[in-house]
């Protein structure tokens, strides 16, 4: 507490002519503003402005898990990229890393608990649960996550809204 949007939307208090954000990410959002001057909620305002908003998803933890996975399993001297993009009202978080090789069969099991695609790494300081935790976070919020491969790059894409 306080949650974002507690006071609601009060246009008289605006400091600019409109919203200048491509998207809004908040941990918690108040759906019932308490200020008597409120003209609506932040969620309503974002929707009218066609700005996607994400609420209640632990995006920091999700990003940390995906980056940790990329660092551990990227090939030597490889590349890691993070991308956040908007397509319509949907926001996608993607983490990519180069990888020497991964089979389509291994790709199908990456979200399984305790699964390791790289059998040579018998113990890397983790237990093979990171991606299953990421999947659990995403599914608990009725969102989607999937892994894919394009050439020497593996990517994880999260559909946040």
């Amino acid at each position: 507490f306080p949650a974002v949007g507690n006071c609601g939307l009060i246009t008289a208090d605006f400091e600019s002519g409109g919203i200048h954000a491509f998207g809004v990410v908040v941990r918690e959002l108040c759906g019932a503003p308490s200020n008597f001057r409120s003209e609506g909620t932040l969620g309503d305002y974002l929707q009218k402005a066609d700005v996607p908003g994400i609420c209640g998803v632990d995006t920091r933890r999700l990003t940390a898990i995906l980056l940790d996975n990329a660092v551990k399993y990227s090939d030597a001297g490889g590349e890691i990229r993070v991308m956040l993009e908007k397509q319509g009202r949907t926001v996608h978080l993607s983490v990519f890393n180069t990888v020497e090789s991964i089979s389509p069969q291994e790709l199908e099991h990456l979200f399984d608990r305790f699964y390791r695609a790289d059998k040579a790494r018998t113990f890397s300081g983790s237990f093979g649960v990171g991606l299953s935790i990421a999947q659990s976070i995403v599914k608990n919020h009725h969102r989607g996550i999937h892994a894919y491969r394009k050439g020497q790059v593996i990517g994880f894409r999260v559909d946040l809204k």
Side-chain angles (χ1 to χ4, degrees):
F1 194 73
V4 173
N6 275 354
C7 294
L9 186 69
I10 305 169
T11 55
D13 294 344
F14 282 12
E15 294 181 6
S16 67
I19 192 163
H20 300 282
F22 292 110
V24 176
V25 178
V26 295
R27 174 75 176 204
E28 185 179 351
L29 179 66
C30 177
S34 60
N35 192 303
F36 72 95
R37 296 173 49 218
S38 175
E39 301 163 33
T41 67
L42 177 60
D44 294 338
Y45 181 64
L46 293 174
Q47 193 167 21
K48 286 177 188 171
D50 196 31
V51 174
I54 302 165
C55 175
V57 178
D58 193 349
T59 55
R60 286 184 185 175
R61 184 168 184 205
L62 189 58
T63 304
I65 290 169
L66 295 176
L67 279 172
D68 180 61
N69 186 75
V71 168
K72 286 179 185 169
Y73 297 105
S74 182
D75 55 348
E79 182 180 340
I80 297 171
R81 288 184 287 145
V82 178
M83 186 169 68
L84 189 64
E85 63 181 330
K86 175 187 168 192
Q87 290 181 335
R89 299 243 353 117
T90 303
V91 176
H92 305 284
L93 168 67
S94 299
V95 177
F96 314 91
N97 64 279
T98 53
V99 64
E100 288 180 20
S101 68
I102 188 165
S103 72
Q105 294 79 19
E106 290 173 319
L107 203 59
E108 292 177 19
H109 295 285
L110 290 178
F111 294 105
D112 295 349
R113 285 176 39 184
F114 308 115
Y115 181 79
R116 290 179 198 272
D118 186 352
K119 306 295 187 231
R121 298 181 193 210
T122 54
F123 187 72
S124 64
S126 63
F127 297 96
V129 295
L131 292 176
S132 65
I133 292 171
Q135 184 180 48
S136 177
I137 291 169
V138 171
K139 284 189 172 186
N140 283 340
H141 295 284
H142 310 290
R143 308 295 200 266
I145 184 171
H146 65 278
Y148 59 92
R149 191 181 116 221
K150 283 186 179 180
Q152 296 299 106
V153 174
I154 185 169
F156 296 90
R157 182 172 165 154
V158 181
D159 304 323
L160 293 171
K161 183 167 180 173

